[in-house]
Structures are given as structure tokens and as C-alpha cells.
Amino acid sequence: MRGNTPHSLADFVDDVHFTVDLGAGMTAVAGVGAPDGTAVRVRQKDDNTKDVRVWLVRLDPRGVFTAELVSPLAPSR
């Protein structure tokens, strides 16, 4: 979010940069997000724009954003 706090899932669509707290440390994610049902599928890119991971970002009932690593081949939800 480039220093901005996200307010909705729409903030994760298109070119995005955000940080994921994995419990054991923080991971920076830069990529491209697209709506996927009630979530946003973010294809994380490396410096050469190659896909390296896919994250499914959701907003839980408490208003907390979550990011789950998913298979790039996993069907949309």
C-alpha cells in the first residue's frame, strides 16, 4: 500500500506493494492484484516481473486483512 493503510479489498487491485506479517518476520509483496470472488488474487512479481508467488487477500469479519499463499493453478473462489 506504499505506506498507506488499506481500507477495502479494492486497495489490493492493480499494482500493489504491501507487507505480510508471517509471525516469524515480515515479507514484502509487490505484484498485481485482481478481484477473485470475495477476495483479491495478487500475483507477486520478482524484479524481472516474473511471477514468484500468488496470495489470496481477504477481509475477515473483524475488519482485518489476511493474505494466504495459494497455488497459482488454484481455481478462483
Side-chain angles (χ1 to χ4, degrees):
M1 307 293 75
R2 297 182 192 203
N4 298 323
T5 301
H7 298 286
S8 73
L9 284 173
D11 293 329
F12 293 91
V13 174
D14 294 326
D15 291 329
V16 296
H17 293 79
F18 59 94
T19 304
V20 177
D21 182 354
L22 298 175
M26 304 296 270
T27 297
V29 177
V32 178
D36 187 354
T38 60
V40 173
R41 185 176 294 256
V42 177
R43 295 190 177 279
Q44 183 178 355
K45 308 286 187 177
D46 66 9
D47 292 337
N48 298 315
T49 68
K50 179 180 175 186
D51 287 355
V52 292
R53 290 184 193 91
V54 177
W55 298 88
L56 201 58
V57 178
R58 294 187 182 98
L59 182 59
D60 78 10
R62 300 169 295 155
V64 175
F65 291 98
T66 63
E68 169 189 8
L69 276 172
V70 296
S71 166
L73 304 176
S76 296
R77 298 179 183 200

